[in-house]
Amino acid sequence: MQLLAHYYKHNLEFKRPSGTSRGVLHNKATYFLRLQDGDSWGIGECAVLAGLSVDDRPDYEQKLQWACDNIQSGLATLLAALEEFPSIQFGLEMAFASLAASNPFVLIPSAFTTEQSPIAINGLIWMGDTAFMKKQIEEKIAQGFDCIKMKIGAIDFDQELEILKAIRAEYSPQDIELRVDANGAFSPEMALEKLKRLSEFNLHSIEQPIAVKQWEQMAALCEASPLPIALDEELIGITQASERQSMLAQIDPAYIILKPSLIGGFAGTDAWIAAAQEKSIKWWITSALESNIGLNAICQYTFAKNSNLPQGLGTGSLYTNNIESPLVVANGTIYYKQGVDWNLDVIDILKRN
């Protein structure tokens, strides 16, 4: 039989506008990649993130069509040719693994997919006004989260400190682990002073305090900061082993944040983990606003890595039109619920197109 490939664009709609330091998100386009080989089929997701993915380019769909047209070249050849398109690399990895699996949605069988073994995750607090952010925090705590990640950098810094102060007045670091994510919002000149003020609230870490490509300034921050620094956006666009090693050696962060859709899929994530472990740098894995198709693959991959840190995998409930799936978030974890099927109506559409 001849291996065939087709992609399908799907616009995910947020239940409510989601704020970051780069702006407010109302919707997000993603692309499902379907492979067909006789009666067998597989599905992957190419989840480009506007304004952040290195492959957010005008020729994205042209390159995705090229991958479909050349699908018989095989996965290794395609991955090598698509180094500048990490989200397509990830979609292809996912789709080929799905095609090879006995169940297209169980890419990496484990206790996660067979026994409802959960993955600990952080509860994500989106930017907004003070009342909105406080409301989200109360909801996450009520839902059983003991690790909360709060995006900062869009509202007044003193207001953000007041929110953190209010949390710490009620919950100790032993009760609630607090992470903050600045998405590069701080200026290099003001960053250290802000980190010192943030450190008063016994935070676990801060992600990307200053914008990317300022390695010298970031290295100085990591050395002087009283608060552990995690690199996130800094990893995007780095594909060569020598550059990974050089960046980690110069900056020496406490953590790196791994988003497979943004850094070259499973293979790219494996490469970053190996580079980090060489330097005793810790890491965790985060989804990047994929639908449940992509989130499912990331969860299965993450479970296999046996990390003991809470991961960033709770974004599946953000959309009004996500693909219904067995993925369930409860008590500060995500798990694959047995006896629950995927939304076959949507999947059948993808299979027919």
Side-chain angles (χ1 to χ4, degrees), residues 7-12 28-32 44-48 60 64 289-291 294:
Y7 77 86
Y8 169 79
K9 185 176 182 179
H10 183 59
N11 284 308
L12 294 161
K28 177 194 176 295
T30 197
Y31 299 85
F32 296 125
E45 181 176 0
C46 303
V48 65
Y60 186 85
L64 187 51
L289 301 180
E290 297 85 359
S291 78

Side-chain angles (χ1 to χ4, degrees), residues 156-162 164-165 190-203 225-227:
D156 180 73
F157 184 64
D158 287 331
Q159 291 181 42
E160 292 170 336
L161 293 178
E162 286 299 315
L164 293 168
K165 182 178 179 180
M190 296 298 297
L192 183 58
E193 178 59 32
K194 290 187 173 183
L195 294 180
K196 289 177 179 177
R197 296 184 68 186
L198 287 165
S199 70
E200 297 172 9
F201 304 107
N202 295 296
L203 305 184
S225 174
L227 182 61

Side-chain angles (χ1 to χ4, degrees), residues 110 152 158 162 218 239 251 288 343-344:
S110 67
I152 61 174
D158 287 331
E162 286 299 315
M218 186 71 87
T239 59
I251 297 179
N343 184 336
L344 295 182

